[in-house]
Amino acid sequence: MNKEKRHQFYQRLQELDPHPTTELEYTTPFELLAAVLLSAQATDVGVNKATRKLFPVANTPATILALGQEGLEAYIATIGLYRSKAKHLLETCRILLEKHDGAVPQDREALEALPGVGRKTANVVMNTAFGHATIAVDTHIFRVANRTGLAPGKDVRVVEDKLMKVTPLEFRQDAHHWLILHGRYVCKARRPECWRCVVNDLCDFKPKELTPPKGR
């Protein structure tokens, strides 16, 4: 995809959704960090169901730490891998209290030093909570970047670096959300819904279905 097409690609996604954001429900940077930690290999819908019960009771490092392992597990047991996630979240709370006065750090190095926080999670928190122009490459973004030809790469880091390089600065802040939502609801893994895609003429994907299947 050339420079002109990439600009059109993002411009159309912007026109469709001028102010995109995460579908995880949160009100503070810590709630977002906790929700993203819980969202690994889980849906945002499933995480939101759990945090709607958890956050009114405990939504700070101190109050979650006070729940303990069993107490926290009781709130998040509907989420996959909940035992290990509870352990990571509790340890993260301890570190935040001991090293950061209970606040979520904004820099990548400090975020990635937290248990269960990798580059993708750090990028989400930096972008969504603190307004940094980062792009967190999940399975949806990896698929969209490769399938469309926007920023093809063999692994997530290569795709992230390419996206940061080729995404125009004016779109970089929101690119992460546009690409995730596009991959989640339109450019789906098994059967991309090309017939309702606003960028289908810019996309490199060859076997496009431009006519919706019967019943759609």
Side-chain angles (χ1 to χ4, degrees), residues 158-175:
V158 171
V159 169
E160 179 189 335
D161 290 345
K162 281 192 175 181
L163 283 171
M164 290 297 291
K165 182 179 180 180
V166 305
T167 299
L169 187 60
E170 65 189 284
F171 301 122
R172 204 170 293 166
Q173 175 64 42
D174 293 321

Side-chain angles (χ1 to χ4, degrees), residues 2-20:
N2 61 34
K3 184 177 180 180
E4 182 181 348
K5 283 186 175 183
R6 287 193 295 266
H7 192 278
Q8 288 186 48
F9 185 98
Y10 282 116
Q11 189 170 45
R12 292 182 195 179
L13 294 181
Q14 182 185 53
E15 290 169 356
L16 194 66
D17 187 1
H19 305 290

Side-chain angles (χ1 to χ4, degrees), residues 11-204:
Q11 189 170 45
R12 292 182 195 179
L13 294 181
Q14 182 185 53
E15 290 169 356
L16 194 66
D17 187 1
H19 305 290
T21 189
T22 179
E23 293 186 321
L24 291 170
E25 297 171 1
Y26 75 99
T27 58
T28 66
F30 175 74
E31 286 187 357
L32 177 64
L33 174 60
V36 178
L37 275 173
L38 297 175
S39 70
Q41 300 181 48
T43 65
D44 289 357
V45 172
V47 172
N48 289 338
K49 286 181 180 178
T51 56
R52 283 174 199 152
K53 297 176 181 178
L54 172 63
F55 288 160
V57 175
N59 70 337
T60 66
T63 53
I64 284 186
L65 200 57
L67 290 176
Q69 181 82 18
E70 289 187 6
L72 179 55
E73 285 181 3
Y75 286 99
I76 65 171
T78 54
I79 301 173
L81 306 174
Y82 71 94
R83 288 192 176 90
S84 62
K85 290 178 181 179
K87 183 179 179 181
H88 285 153
L89 182 52
L90 288 168
E91 185 58 28
T92 286
C93 290
R94 289 190 188 93
I95 294 173
L96 291 178
L97 289 167
E98 291 172 3
K99 297 186 177 181
H100 304 285
D101 297 321
V104 177
Q106 294 195 35
D107 63 285
R108 181 185 303 282
E109 185 178 356
L111 282 167
E112 291 188 15
L114 300 172
V117 176
R119 186 176 181 87
K120 182 180 74 173
T121 298
N123 278 336
V124 172
V125 174
M126 290 169 65
N127 175 274
T128 306
F130 300 119
H132 295 281
T134 57
I135 299 176
V137 180
D138 70 348
T139 55
H140 296 300
I141 292 182
F142 185 77
R143 179 175 66 255
V144 170
N146 276 284
R147 181 184 277 166
T148 64
L150 178 66
K154 62 182 180 180
D155 58 51
V156 292
R157 184 58 192 273
V158 171
V159 169
E160 179 189 335
D161 290 345
K162 281 192 175 181
L163 283 171
M164 290 297 291
K165 182 179 180 180
V166 305
T167 299
L169 187 60
E170 65 189 284
F171 301 122
R172 204 170 293 166
Q173 175 64 42
D174 293 321
H176 162 82
H177 298 298
W178 285 321
L179 296 175
I180 282 180
L181 295 172
H182 190 65
R184 184 174 289 166
Y185 296 113
V186 180
C187 197
K188 299 177 181 179
R190 292 187 179 181
R191 191 173 195 176
E193 298 183 0
C194 304
W195 59 89
R196 65 183 191 88
C197 175
V198 296
V199 292
N200 60 29
D201 60 315
L202 306 173
C203 168
D204 287 346

